[in-house]
Amino acid sequence: MDPHLLRTFVTVAECGSFSAAAERLGYTQSAVSQHISALENDLGTPLLRRRPVTPTPAGERLLEHAAPILLRLATARADVRRTLAQPPTALILATTPLATAGAGATAGAGAGAGAGAGAGADAGAAAQPGALAVALREVRRSHPGTEVTLTVCGRDEVVEGVAAGTFAIGLVDGVAAPSDPLRLSDAVHLRTTPVAHDDLIVALPNDHPLAGRRGLALRDLADARWIDAPDLAAPLPVLRAATGSDGFRPAFTYAGTDLHTLLTLITSGHGLAVLPRSVPAPSTVPVMSPRLVHRTELLHGDLSEPAALLLSNLK
């Protein structure tokens, strides 16, 4: 299957228009139509209805496979190019919004799960939110002339960008059991280096009935109002899976990556969110059960690049 044809098909399905897809891809509308016809002929079935432009049942099935296929191809291309590339003069990296909050935290920050709030606060004393900035300063000192670009984006974008070679390295955060790595993508295998882990808290309004408690079990909050902020807070599907509950349904959705906005929504009573303990939320209660941690990992395709290698020492 020609990846160019597959990419055209995905773009048309996303745009819902041949002309809009042609504009996005930089093709003529005629070329887009020819790509779709060639793919349909190859597979022996229509993939798109034309008026309106929507996937057929066969097209829907192909879309399920398309993203992993294209990502794996991009990853393979990036890995090959890394073996041929000259030492770079630019370092492009990406981070999820809260990954830098965890970078530099002590690896044992989550050890006091059974302790009260006071023990949790002591465990966080070694957190160093500026660890990434310090590492980048060392890059500038050791490799003068290296142009550094830092992008803050969502988890999926960091993973896909590192896999495809758009970013040299990435920092990504998420929620996992203490001994488990993050589950990032089934489509590609990425090299990862653990950086830090941190305890979890529930951020809630100051006047919430549970404010001031020394700890809580997440399952007891399954039916609470939750904010769905997938690129900042612990994803609600992860909380459902961890607690074996069908609760944790979103009452409010925040699709952005600004932590201040999320905390304002929480303190205004729009819902709760599970966050790392290092986040400066006004009112929090430690998560005691189930045993989960906020984990930060470094993603990379190749750490032979000297500037990238420096950033592998964030922990």
Side-chain angles (χ1 to χ4, degrees):
M1 185 181 299
D2 189 324
H4 297 292
L5 304 186
L6 184 59
R7 186 172 291 105
T8 299
F9 165 69
V10 171
T11 305
V12 173
E14 289 176 348
C15 294
S17 163
F18 279 68
S19 59
E23 182 176 355
R24 179 190 292 184
L25 293 168
Y27 299 159
T28 64
Q29 186 169 336
S30 175
V32 169
S33 297
Q34 291 173 14
H35 283 189
I36 298 302
S37 295
L39 187 59
E40 290 178 328
N41 289 336
D42 179 36
L43 294 175
T45 184
L47 299 172
L48 292 168
R49 303 181 185 92
R50 272 31 179 200
R51 297 175 183 267
V53 177
T54 57
T56 64
E60 291 282 4
R61 184 61 58 87
L62 181 58
L63 282 173
E64 294 176 6
H65 296 280
I69 290 171
L70 292 173
L71 183 56
R72 288 188 67 87
L73 287 171
T75 302
R77 187 178 294 110
D79 274 346
V80 171
R81 286 176 176 170
R82 288 185 187 105
T83 68
L84 304 174
Q86 296 297 316
T89 58
L91 180 65
I92 304 174
L93 60 143
T95 178
T96 51
L98 296 187
T100 53
T106 56
D122 291 340
Q128 302 168 24
L132 178 60
V134 171
L136 290 175
R137 184 177 62 194
E138 182 62 20
V139 168
R140 292 177 54 206
R141 187 192 67 79
S142 302
H143 303 277
T146 299
E147 180 183 343
V148 179
T149 301
L150 174 64
T151 297
V152 178
C153 50
R155 293 183 178 105
D156 290 344
E157 191 174 349
V158 173
V159 173
E160 292 173 9
V162 173
T166 305
F167 307 127
I169 54 177
L171 274 172
V172 67
D173 72 296
V175 172
S179 59
D180 291 347
L182 295 179
R183 181 166 183 175
L184 299 174
S185 173
D186 293 329
V188 293
H189 174 71
L190 288 170
R191 301 176 182 91
T192 63
T193 301
V195 173
H197 65 255
D198 196 1
D199 285 330
L200 293 175
I201 52 89
V202 177
L204 33 71
N206 292 328
D207 59 355
H208 193 278
L210 296 179
R213 286 187 56 172
R214 294 178 61 83
L216 54 78
L218 275 180
R219 190 175 181 85
D220 294 340
L221 291 174
D223 296 325
R225 288 181 56 87
W226 288 95
I227 296 178
D228 183 20
D231 286 323
L232 282 169
L236 299 185
V238 172
L239 301 185
R240 286 195 290 272
T243 57
S245 168
D246 61 357
F248 301 96
R249 298 298 171 179
F252 192 105
T253 298
Y254 175 55
T257 57
D258 181 68
L259 178 61
H260 176 73
T261 299
L262 175 61
L263 294 179
T264 300
L265 292 170
I266 294 170
T267 56
S268 299
H270 292 287
L272 314 182
V274 173
L275 296 166
R277 181 183 33 75
S278 53
V279 166
S283 182
T284 66
V285 177
V287 174
M288 311 303 281
S289 172
R291 186 70 189 104
L292 299 169
V293 296
H294 176 261
R295 183 176 174 90
T296 302
E297 293 182 356
L298 184 75
L299 314 182
H300 48 89
D302 183 8
L303 282 182
S304 62
E305 300 174 6
L309 184 59
L310 283 172
L311 297 178
S312 69
N313 298 318
L314 283 171
K315 57 182 178 175

